[in-house]
Amino acid sequence: STFPTFSLFTSHSMKDIHTVFFDLDDTLYQCGDAIHAVMRERIRAYFVEHLGIAGDGVDDEVRRLYLTYGTTLRGLMKEHPKEIDPDQYLAFVHDPLPLQAHVKPEDGLRDAIQAIDKPKWVFTASVAEHAHRCLDLLGIRDLFQGIIDCRAVNFHTKHEAESFRRAAALAGVPDGARCLFIDDSLTNLETAKSFGWTTVWVKNERLPVYEDKDILLEKRDFVDHHVPFVSHIRSLRYGDDDELSAAAGAATASSSSP
């Protein structure tokens, strides 16, 4: 089917957007299998070394924590507060990631972001140090007012409205002002929409492995627009369409944010 398009800069529905929030991993760049594989192995190693959980039980536990709490770290903090240190976990998982070899900007990324004449923030479930490394490799760090990471929102996840409330406050968004949120996670977009934000789904070839896409797509009205890559942001496509469902149904699994 054919999607109607509109310009981000002339559309009546977009003109009153106050601030634009971008997710990082699998949104501003595509992580790829190599980065995801290392991240999965680091999470497994952390469970073995710090919690004594090994074998098949690790993947089951990671999935359970993610589905229950929004990120693995949030679940660990809730259920194993004495055994883990959040900063240690974040460094253990993110520091070894092979970003230098695999984080590459898509064509037109910088121009597309730079053309958005709105305050722009990176809003990520990972840690600021990881975000800085990625943005530097992408050559776009200077385009953002700042980074709102998991520490900044007190480890609330983007499955929780409180995370969006804190992000808006940190970005200086006035009460009642509209925001645009761009993310690859349908669950995150659903929460953002319930918080009153306009949503853009970066429709990757994959969905986070722990998202129940079948359930989410039964109520896909929380996706306002979608694009295949952020570089296409200037011609957003409307989201509630049969092709959206088909694309998500065909998406292959990948790992979620830790």
Side-chain angles (χ1 to χ4, degrees):
S1 58
T2 301
F3 289 87
T5 61
F6 66 93
S7 167
L8 180 64
F9 314 106
T10 61
S11 168
H12 174 75
S13 66
M14 301 300 294
K15 68 179 182 179
D16 59 343
I17 291 292
H18 183 276
T19 300
V20 181
F21 293 87
F22 292 80
D23 176 50
L24 176 66
D25 302 312
D26 278 325
T27 296
L28 285 173
Y29 75 100
Q30 302 303 301
C31 282
D33 293 339
I35 292 175
H36 281 299
V38 174
M39 184 175 290
R40 285 194 297 270
E41 287 306 312
R42 295 301 292 175
I43 292 173
R44 290 189 185 108
Y46 188 90
F47 273 67
V48 171
E49 293 180 21
H50 295 272
L51 299 174
I53 301 173
D56 294 339
V58 173
D59 289 338
D60 291 341
E61 183 66 358
V62 170
R63 175 182 172 83
R64 185 187 68 80
L65 292 174
Y66 179 86
L67 290 173
T68 303
Y69 298 102
T71 65
T72 305
L73 174 58
R74 182 69 166 165
L76 290 173
M77 293 175 66
K78 288 287 190 178
E79 296 194 6
H80 303 275
K82 295 182 180 179
E83 291 97 328
I84 71 127
D85 176 281
D87 289 329
Q88 180 191 54
Y89 172 87
L90 290 165
F92 188 93
V93 171
H94 289 95
D95 287 355
L97 296 180
L99 302 180
Q100 188 77 36
H102 297 285
V103 175
K104 310 291 183 184
E106 66 205 44
D107 291 342
L109 176 65
R110 182 178 177 85
D111 289 344
I113 296 172
Q114 194 167 28
I116 300 173
D117 188 22
K118 305 282 184 179
K120 298 175 286 288
W121 291 77
V122 173
F123 181 21
T124 176
S126 66
V127 67
E129 293 86 344
H130 170 75
H132 286 146
R133 292 170 64 199
C134 291
L135 295 177
D136 285 343
L137 290 168
L138 294 170
I140 57 174
R141 182 172 172 180
D142 61 302
L143 301 183
F144 297 95
Q145 272 61 43
I147 295 167
I148 299 171
D149 70 349
C150 59
R151 295 191 191 106
V153 296
N154 197 29
F155 299 102
H156 289 281
T157 77
K158 285 187 273 187
H159 293 194
E160 304 172 76
E162 178 63 15
S163 176
F164 291 88
R165 188 194 68 76
R166 289 174 181 254
L170 289 165
V173 177
D175 289 345
R178 293 182 62 207
C179 295
L180 183 71
F181 179 57
I182 304 166
D183 202 308
D184 67 299
S185 165
L186 289 167
T187 308
N188 294 350
L189 294 172
E190 184 176 28
T191 311
K193 186 65 176 178
S194 72
F195 193 67
W197 289 10
T198 299
T199 60
V200 179
W201 181 31
V202 177
K203 188 191 68 179
N204 295 326
E205 73 277 6
R206 67 178 84 230
L207 284 177
V209 69
Y210 301 129
E211 290 200 327
D212 190 338
K213 59 180 178 291
D214 293 330
I215 294 175
L216 287 167
L217 287 170
E218 289 176 1
K219 46 181 179 176
R220 61 183 185 268
D221 55 335
F222 56 82
V223 176
D224 292 317
H225 315 288
H226 66 92
V227 291
F229 304 100
V230 169
S231 58
H232 294 203
I233 196 70
R234 283 178 284 182
S235 57
L236 296 176
R237 298 185 293 181
Y238 288 85
D240 193 10
D241 190 281
D242 290 342
E243 186 172 329
L244 174 64
S245 180
T252 56
S254 174
S255 64
S256 64
S257 297

